[in-house]
Amino acid sequence: QVQLVESGGGLVQPGGPLRLSCAASGSIFSIVTMGWYRQAPGKERELVADINSGGASKYADSVKGRFTISRDNALNMVYLQMNSLKPEDTALYYCNAYIYTNPRQWGVYWGQGTQVTVSS
C-alpha cells in the first residue's frame, strides 16, 4: 500500500555530482523520517543520511561535507545531493522511510534501490 521509488542513479566520474530522488506514494497518513542507505558488494547496508519531518538530519561520517539530504513534506519526497563523489561511494542506494498509514499504525518501508557507480 506504500511505495518508495528512487531515481537519479547512474555512472559518474570521481569528483562529480549526482542527485538522487525518492517519492513515497500510497496510503500515507504521515512520514516521520526519510533517509538513504547504501550497500556495496560484500558489505553490509549502512545509513548514509536521514532527515525527520522537522528537517533535522544526520549523516554518516564518510559523507559529511559532501552529501546533503533534503525533503519536500508536501510532495512526500526526499533527495540526496552527492558532491565530490569517490569510487568508494559506489553502491546500491536505497530510500527508506518510517511511515504512519493511519494514526495508530506505522511501518518501515524500502525502495528497490538505485545504482550509483563512481568510476573514470
Side-chain angles (χ1 to χ4, degrees):
Q1 289 186 334
V2 173
Q3 281 190 318
L4 299 182
V5 178
E6 303 103 334
S7 60
L11 173 64
V12 62
Q13 292 189 341
L18 204 60
R19 188 185 193 223
L20 305 182
S21 300
C22 172
S25 62
S27 181
I28 297 172
F29 177 75
S30 67
I31 302 177
V32 179
T33 301
M34 301 186 82
W36 293 92
Y37 285 70
R38 67 185 181 188
Q39 187 167 20
K43 294 188 177 181
E44 293 186 353
R45 190 174 297 188
E46 62 174 358
L47 173 69
V48 177
D50 67 20
I51 184 168
N52 66 20
S53 57
S57 59
K58 63 176 183 282
Y59 296 88
D61 287 344
S62 59
V63 306
K64 282 181 182 176
R66 299 188 299 122
F67 291 9
T68 301
I69 190 169
S70 61
R71 67 187 273 182
D72 186 322
N73 292 330
L75 296 178
N76 291 334
M77 293 195 69
V78 65
Y79 309 95
L80 186 68
Q81 178 65 45
M82 303 183 292
N83 297 326
S84 303
L85 281 160
K86 304 175 181 180
E88 50 263 43
D89 294 317
T90 296
L92 191 59
Y93 283 70
Y94 295 92
C95 180
N96 163 276
Y98 288 73
I99 296 175
Y100 277 88
T101 53
N102 64 58
R104 296 183 179 182
Q105 188 171 9
W106 66 277
V108 180
Y109 297 89
W110 293 90
Q112 298 257 1
T114 184
Q115 179 67 39
V116 172
T117 302
V118 185
S119 175
S120 55

